[in-house]
Amino acid sequence: MSSPEKSAASTNEFATYIDELIEKLQSKVNGVNTELDSKFEDMNSRIDKLEQTINSILQQKEEEQPSSES
């Protein structure tokens, strides 16, 4: 193999390595993205439940207070 052929082969190997590395990184990013989406959905659900509980408590307090009609 002559020097230019070796250089081309090395360049191709390097390009292949970079492509594989990018694919691995993309896969990891996709996994993290999926995990974050799941956690955000869970957090959103928990916040909704908390909001419902707070509204229920406030409504109960309003109903317990005697009316101030004099």
Side-chain angles (χ1 to χ4, degrees), residues 8 11 21 39-41 46 65:
T11 300
L21 184 61
K39 289 186 182 212
F40 281 133
E41 287 176 19
R46 294 171 79 182
Q65 292 178 350

Side-chain angles (χ1 to χ4, degrees), residues 11-24:
T11 300
N12 288 338
E13 289 174 8
F14 183 69
T16 300
Y17 171 76
I18 294 298
D19 286 342
E20 290 172 356
L21 184 61
I22 288 171
E23 287 177 18
K24 286 179 185 177

Side-chain angles (χ1 to χ4, degrees), residues 59-66:
Q59 186 177 7
Q60 287 176 359
K61 290 294 181 183
E62 287 177 1
E63 292 173 357
E64 289 176 1
Q65 292 178 350

